[in-house]
Amino acid sequence: MNKPLLDVLDHQRRCPPPIWLMRQAGRYLPEYRSVREKAGDFLKLCFSPELAAEVTLQPVRRFGFDAAILFSDILVVPYALGQSVAFATGDGPRLDAIDDAKALRKLRSELDHERLMPVYETIARVKSQLPANATLLGFCGAPWTLATYMIAGAGTPDQIPAREFAYRAPELFQQLLDVLVEASAAYLIRQFEAGVDAVQIFDTWAGVLPDEEFDRCCIEPCARIIALVRARIPRAKFIGFPRGAGLLYERYVRATWVDAISLDTAVPAGFAHDRLQPLAAVQGNLDPVILLVGGAPLKQAVNALRRALGGGGFIFNLGHGVLPQTSPEHIAMLAKMLAEPLNGIS
Ligand code: CP3
């Protein structure tokens, strides 16, 4: 049986377009909250293959989505490089900040795959239970976005600690990016070997970088990861998400050779259609806030997006993750709309 989402990554147009949602497993689902409570700690959930596989599959079961995304977090990579990582309830991630040469030296130069074995086991478990027409997506954080957490030791509103570090200590900063490129490529290779069909690279904080910094911090590391993985796994498919990159989205697509490009909420459909869709499939970009509202505004926005982008390679998704306060009924309505062709367009 074929997989519609994988077909789109393979340059085919599918009608209706395949759908999945970023953060489709999460607190908006009662069945997630119940497993999360059982696991206690968030990282414990990420590293318990049975529970992580269960929450990966929940949204596919409930909504019939075309893809399951591995349930894990981007910060397991710094953890497997020896950095301490914790999630304080309601407080986001906390790491021991890497802010000088001494702290950087403490980082391992290679990933400790032992620490990541539970993730690979989760992938194998999901693979064996996933419907044949559903795609299994793996992922990693892009080096720049990981560096923003690793350098600040926490999430920051403006990523200034990492931006300052990059200007003040360009060589140390490059060393960190290089370690993260190698580690991320090794991690994604293992994910493909364990059974994922495609992967997404999340560069959540790409949008704060000025033009000249965008190349060294975002494009080059992502392009290197993709080349390293493809050298080992020629069939490897990539979705890139340089969130907030604006006009630089086009340069990112041309330079990284991603198979699909995930659009944040601000990317105009006309720009995506004219400049990006000729180069790669596009994924996105419904406003997660419209999903909160539901009803007529949701229907109208979904149809407009499908009319604008459904004529080419298109994966339906949000511009960013599902908000925790979203009603599962609104998502059920969205999934139902996407099960039908639209006026002969898509
Ligand atoms: O469903 C999916 O999309 C797969 C699972 C997934 C999670 N995190 C689970 C998660 C994925 C792909 C991520 C990626 C991730 N993690 C990113 C990039 C994507 C994005 O959202 O921009 C980033 C920046 C992180 C780092 C991170 N993880 C933060 C800042 C936080 C705290 C904020 C929050 O939403 O609570 C997390 C925690 C996290 N990761 C949760 C989930 C479901 C919430 C934890 C909980 O259940 O309490």
Side-chain angles (χ1 to χ4, degrees):
M1 198 161 175
N2 66 346
K3 299 174 187 285
L5 194 149
L6 216 46
D7 289 346
V8 172
L9 295 178
D10 218 6
H11 314 290
Q12 295 172 45
R13 173 179 169 269
R14 290 294 304 242
C15 165
I19 174 174
W20 71 281
L21 304 179
M22 288 186 263
R23 287 285 178 98
Q24 65 188 23
R27 284 168 293 196
Y28 78 98
L29 277 180
E31 59 268 37
Y32 170 83
R33 292 197 297 269
S34 135
V35 176
R36 170 80 166 79
E37 221 166 274
K38 200 154 62 161
D41 184 67
F42 172 68
L43 274 181
K44 252 195 213 140
L45 174 54
C46 293
F47 289 129
S48 307
E50 194 182 336
L51 300 181
E54 168 58 22
V55 294
T56 301
L57 288 161
Q58 283 171 348
V60 181
R61 253 185 238 131
R62 194 193 255 255
F63 305 115
F65 286 144
D66 292 285
I69 181 157
L70 164 70
F71 189 85
S72 182
D73 198 84
I74 61 169
L75 298 177
V76 300
V77 164
Y79 171 72
L81 286 170
Q83 197 171 11
S84 78
V85 178
F87 284 83
T89 313
D91 205 24
R94 286 283 179 278
L95 303 85
D96 50 354
I98 294 179
D99 44 14
D100 58 15
K102 190 164 158 254
L104 187 59
R105 272 198 304 275
K106 281 202 272 177
L107 209 61
R108 293 170 57 100
S109 57
E110 279 182 23
L111 270 188
D112 179 358
H113 287 291
E114 273 308 307
R115 287 192 172 193
L116 297 170
M117 285 311 265
V119 176
Y120 309 138
E121 195 186 325
T122 302
I123 293 170
R125 278 175 182 258
V126 174
K127 186 85 180 167
S128 70
Q129 295 175 56
L130 200 63
N133 61 345
T135 298
L136 178 51
L137 295 173
F139 70 90
C140 70
W144 162 246
T145 288
L146 290 178
T148 66
Y149 291 97
M150 295 172 79
I151 291 167
T156 47
D158 43 22
Q159 294 75 53
I160 283 180
R163 300 220 40 231
E164 262 194 284
F165 190 92
Y167 284 127
R168 279 220 182 101
E171 281 162 23
L172 285 182
F173 179 72
Q174 190 60 47
Q175 272 177 38
L176 177 59
L177 288 183
D178 290 345
V179 168
L180 292 172
V181 164
E182 293 292 332
S184 303
Y187 183 44
L188 294 182
I189 288 167
R190 293 290 286 261
Q191 290 187 33
F192 277 106
E193 288 171 352
V196 304
D197 300 303
V199 294
Q200 176 152 324
I201 302 179
F202 286 92
D203 216 346
T204 302
W205 303 121
V208 298
L209 296 165
D211 188 13
E212 327 77 64
E213 289 287 273
F214 190 76
D215 282 350
R216 78 159 167 152
C217 296
C218 173
I219 289 185
E220 281 172 21
C222 290
R224 279 164 62 202
I225 291 170
I226 292 171
L228 283 168
V229 176
R230 284 199 180 128
R232 282 282 296 278
I233 317 261
R235 69 176 163 89
K237 298 283 179 202
F238 287 87
I239 306 170
F241 184 36
R243 188 172 77 102
L247 292 176
L248 304 178
Y249 256 101
E250 186 176 347
R251 201 198 297 164
Y252 176 94
V253 176
R254 289 184 186 279
T256 59
W257 296 86
V258 286
D259 302 285
I261 181 77
S262 198
L263 313 173
D264 65 71
T265 313
V267 177
F271 171 79
H273 174 274
D274 296 346
R275 309 296 293 264
L276 304 177
Q277 218 167 18
L279 306 172
V282 295
Q283 170 176 284
N285 70 343
L286 185 77
D287 186 350
V289 179
I290 287 215
L291 202 50
L292 281 187
V293 174
L298 174 61
K299 281 192 179 155
Q300 202 187 342
V302 170
N303 289 340
L305 193 54
R306 290 180 68 181
R307 287 211 175 83
L309 297 174
F314 179 43
I315 300 164
F316 197 98
N317 205 314
L318 301 175
H320 201 190
V322 176
L323 296 163
Q325 62 272 41
T326 306
S327 158
E329 269 95 81
H330 295 175
I331 300 190
M333 183 176 118
L334 172 64
K336 191 159 167 268
M337 287 182 78
L338 267 292
E340 302 289 336
L342 175 72
N343 289 351
I345 294 174
S346 75

